[in-house]
Amino acid sequence: MKLTAEQIQQNWVDLEETIKSYISEPRRSQLLDFYSEYSERLMLMPAAHKKEYHNAFPGGYIDHVLRVVDCALKLNKVWVEMGVDTSTYTEEELVFAALNHDLGKMGDEQHDAYIPQDDQWRRDKLGEDYKFNDRLEFMSVPDRSLHLLLSHGISVSKNEWLAIKLHDGLYDDANKPYLMSWSPETKPRTSLIYIIHQADLMAARIEFEHEWNPKLKGEVKKTNNFTVTKAPQQTSKQTIKTKTLGSIESTGLMNMLNDL
């Protein structure tokens, strides 16, 4: 998937408008100044380094962030309909957390986190159009997101801190102490954390489907500068079984599969 220059520019305009619409002063001006200072980097950043993930193309990061904001606002309406306690968070906290949950993917003030992959084999065989910049000091993405905001004088509420820090949910083992408590006293006191996680998960899944479902539904063949998609050929169960058995070295496992 690729974005045109016009789409990348429009996404940037939409990002600025989202900040103006949902974030109050003084943070509105602070965020606009921050994003303006690093606009050239942020505007063209990918959301991931590998095609098998999501939005691993120029402009993919802002495209992802806007989708997470949209998902968060829509999911919030569902949570409200189902009776969530809205007194535990605000709409501004919801949008602020969604906007900045992955900010750490930009790297730091001097270094990009993702740089173009210069190993052609890894580009061709592993789908890595980008690689991690080893000149950048290691920090987790949520920790770097929070550090970037605070080091530029942008305040973060406790709800926003937790929502950004925990946005990967239980996919990150470091979040287990917060999310796997069996005591009511130590469970999260706000559902904002879960809404942001679900919004990020939904956005990433949709982006994955946009990129991969057309390829998985048919055989995609690259021909010069264009792509031809062919319908998959029907393969008999016996043919699949024969190919599978032929690749297995273990006699026991081969006998077991042969009985299926």
Side-chain angles (χ1 to χ4, degrees):
M1 182 175 175
K2 292 183 179 179
L3 297 178
T4 65
E6 292 74 19
Q7 288 173 317
I8 291 173
Q9 180 60 43
Q10 185 58 53
N11 279 347
W12 188 257
V13 171
D14 292 345
L15 179 81
E16 292 182 322
E17 288 303 314
T18 299
I19 294 172
K20 293 175 184 177
S21 298
Y22 289 97
I23 308 301
S24 60
E25 292 292 358
R27 296 199 302 176
R28 178 191 301 144
S29 296
Q30 292 171 330
L31 276 177
L32 288 171
D33 288 344
F34 175 88
Y35 279 94
S36 176
E37 182 177 357
Y38 299 103
S39 59
E40 289 186 11
R41 288 171 58 184
L42 289 164
M43 196 182 297
L44 296 174
M45 272 173 50
H49 78 290
K50 199 173 182 180
K51 294 176 182 175
E52 282 75 8
Y53 298 155
H54 63 103
N55 275 25
F57 49 78
Y61 172 76
I62 298 298
D63 184 74
H64 171 67
V65 165
L66 290 173
R67 189 169 288 103
V68 173
V69 172
D70 193 28
C71 289
L73 289 168
K74 288 181 169 64
L75 285 169
N76 186 55
K77 292 179 181 179
V78 175
W79 279 73
V80 170
E81 282 184 23
M82 298 307 296
V84 72
D85 183 358
T86 56
S87 70
T88 65
Y89 63 94
T90 66
E91 186 176 61
E92 178 172 344
E93 288 178 322
L94 177 83
V95 174
F96 183 93
L99 275 171
N100 298 294
H101 74 285
D102 267 349
L103 184 61
K105 288 184 176 181
M106 84 169 241
D108 62 19
E109 291 83 353
Q110 289 78 37
H111 306 100
D112 291 324
Y114 300 135
I115 58 177
Q117 175 60 264
D118 52 7
D119 185 328
Q120 192 61 43
W121 185 89
R122 297 188 72 87
R123 292 176 73 97
D124 294 340
K125 302 301 182 182
L126 303 180
E128 294 180 2
D129 287 336
Y130 299 87
K131 66 178 181 178
F132 293 107
N133 186 356
D134 58 14
R135 298 187 65 185
L136 179 68
E137 183 179 8
F138 173 77
M139 291 179 76
S140 70
V141 170
D143 286 349
R144 195 185 302 280
S145 299
L146 293 164
H147 172 71
L148 283 168
L149 291 167
L150 295 174
S151 65
H152 285 80
I154 302 169
S155 63
V156 180
S157 73
K158 180 173 66 176
N159 280 345
E160 292 162 350
W161 180 288
L162 290 170
I164 291 172
K165 179 176 179 60
L166 305 175
H167 77 265
D168 283 326
L170 290 174
Y171 288 99
D172 186 341
D173 286 344
N175 297 338
K176 286 183 177 181
Y178 289 92
L179 302 177
M180 290 188 67
S181 169
W182 313 119
S183 169
E185 292 80 11
T186 56
K187 286 182 180 293
R189 305 280 174 105
T190 175
S191 291
L192 177 65
I193 295 166
Y194 302 101
I195 298 172
I196 294 299
H197 171 54
Q198 290 179 353
D200 184 39
L201 186 65
M202 177 185 289
R205 175 63 196 183
I206 290 168
E207 290 155 11
F208 172 84
E209 290 186 353
H210 288 174
E211 175 76 24
W212 284 97
N213 274 8
K215 299 174 184 177
L216 296 174
K217 288 177 180 177
E219 181 187 348
V220 178
K221 202 186 235 188
K222 191 87 173 178
T223 306
N224 295 327
N225 294 323
F226 59 92
T227 299
V228 177
T229 302
K230 296 172 63 178
Q233 295 180 345
Q234 295 296 321
T235 306
S236 69
K237 290 183 179 180
Q238 186 59 42
T239 301
I240 296 173
K241 187 174 182 179
T242 301
K243 288 183 177 179
T244 302
L245 291 173
S247 64
I248 294 174
E249 296 180 359
S250 168
T251 303
L253 183 57
M254 184 167 61
N255 291 337
M256 182 179 69
L257 291 175
N258 193 39
D259 291 336
L260 296 177

